[in-house]
Amino acid sequence: MFGRPTRTIVCPSCGRLTRADASECLVCGRRRPGAWGLTSSLQKLFRSGGVTDAITVACIALYVASLVADPLGALRPRGPLDLLAPTSRALDMLGMTGAFAWAEGRWWTLLTAVYLHGNLLHILFNVLWIRQLGPAVEDVYGPARLFVIYTAAGVLGFVASNAIGVPFTIGASGAIFGLLGAMVAYGRRRGGTFGGLVLRQYGQWALVLFILGFFMSGVNNLAHAGGFIGGLATGWVLSLAERRAETFYDQLLAGALAVLTIAGFALALWTALV
Ligand SMILES: [Zn+2]
């Protein structure tokens, strides 16, 4: 009566409710459906809205960290379009990517640089787009798949620009182009009038933003193109939420990418400080 209440989880195999501490799922008989707590942790982490919020918080926290790491440099007066810009030294310490980091074998910067931003306008613009597109992608794919798309697109965007030789780069915009690409993939796969509308809407946004990039200085257009293709391809491969609900394995893949990203920040700090 007064013991710890039995937690209920969604079984990774059959998708029905079962007890987290059961040795076998009561419905399908899967052994250890709770996977020693992993199932419920993943289900908490990849709940509705959780991924968009977590990405927002990570971007803001790392922007603040990049300012605090070298405050005098960040406060040095620049133009209004380059307000509160962290120094290259601070960004490099937190995992800025580019051909330079790539040549030194710092592969983890492909993951970490997605969460770093170069000034106040840069982060404001990107966070607004993440909060606009994250819920839409989550709606049609699911929260864990949203994180897989975001990460894959961010990484592929930087792979493209590092390979061509862009020396230093940061920012979520490649990943954001990936979210647009995933919505275009959804529109194409869904088809019909609604699918056509989605495809046109997000395709137009991607095109306008891509062209805009050529009129602004310091924009990594290669990362935008690479990110869009990455999101399009990932969105093409992943299941749509309306056809197949997210499984334990979608959450496991997203969880592994989250752990790898956090490990990337640890590696960035380790190589910078030790
Ligand atoms: Zn089951």
Side-chain angles (χ1 to χ4, degrees):
M1 229 9 151
F2 298 101
R4 218 153 58 94
T6 308
R7 273 181 306 123
T8 309
I9 52 158
V10 177
C11 169
S13 289
C14 66
R16 310 290 277 277
L17 289 179
T18 191
R19 283 173 44 166
D21 60 355
S23 57
E24 280 178 8
C25 169
L26 303 173
V27 182
C28 72
R30 177 197 169 96
R31 289 171 55 86
R32 290 269 156 222
W36 296 276
L38 188 61
T39 307
S40 69
S41 305
L42 286 171
Q43 283 169 9
K44 245 180 277 170
L45 194 61
F46 297 108
R47 70 188 185 283
S48 177
V51 172
T52 301
D53 286 348
I55 291 172
T56 304
V57 169
C59 285
I60 293 171
L62 282 153
Y63 176 64
V64 171
S66 66
L67 293 175
V68 169
D70 193 354
L72 289 176
L75 288 169
R76 202 174 304 138
R78 294 183 182 85
L81 292 177
D82 206 13
L83 208 62
L84 290 176
T87 60
S88 302
R89 201 174 66 88
L91 291 171
D92 199 46
M93 191 176 80
L94 290 169
M96 174 164 67
T97 195
F100 186 71
W102 192 241
E104 288 189 337
R106 290 186 272 141
W107 57 267
W108 55 88
T109 58
L110 295 174
L111 294 156
T112 51
V114 176
Y115 296 87
L116 302 174
H117 290 88
N119 59 50
L120 193 60
L121 204 66
H122 191 206
I123 186 166
L124 201 68
F125 193 71
N126 279 355
V127 163
L128 286 176
W129 273 105
I130 289 165
R131 300 204 64 78
Q132 167 86 18
L133 297 171
V137 172
E138 185 196 300
D139 254 7
V140 298
Y141 290 97
R145 293 179 192 136
L146 159 65
F147 189 69
V148 173
I149 291 166
Y150 184 86
T151 304
V155 166
L156 280 167
F158 288 142
V159 165
S161 73
N162 289 358
I164 305 287
V166 174
F168 304 102
T169 188
I170 46 167
S173 45
I176 291 167
F177 269 85
L179 299 183
L180 290 166
M183 289 308 287
V184 168
Y186 167 74
R188 185 79 182 81
R189 289 172 72 186
R190 179 145 188 321
T193 314
F194 180 68
L197 280 172
V198 170
L199 191 150
R200 234 184 355 266
Q201 172 73 80
Y202 289 92
Q204 276 172 3
W205 276 352
L207 194 65
V208 168
L209 282 174
F210 188 65
I211 292 169
L212 208 65
F214 288 92
F215 292 93
M216 287 156 50
S217 67
V219 171
N220 186 347
N221 294 301
L222 281 164
H224 289 181
F228 183 81
I229 292 167
L232 192 73
T234 316
W236 204 264
V237 178
L238 291 174
S239 298
L240 301 174
E242 65 194 16
R243 296 194 189 151
R244 202 162 61 91
E246 282 193 339
T247 65
F248 177 68
Y249 300 102
D250 289 306
Q251 294 173 341
L252 200 61
L253 175 61
L257 289 174
V259 168
L260 198 64
T261 304
I262 293 166
F265 282 106
L267 277 167
L269 286 174
W270 176 266
T271 47
L273 300 175
V274 178

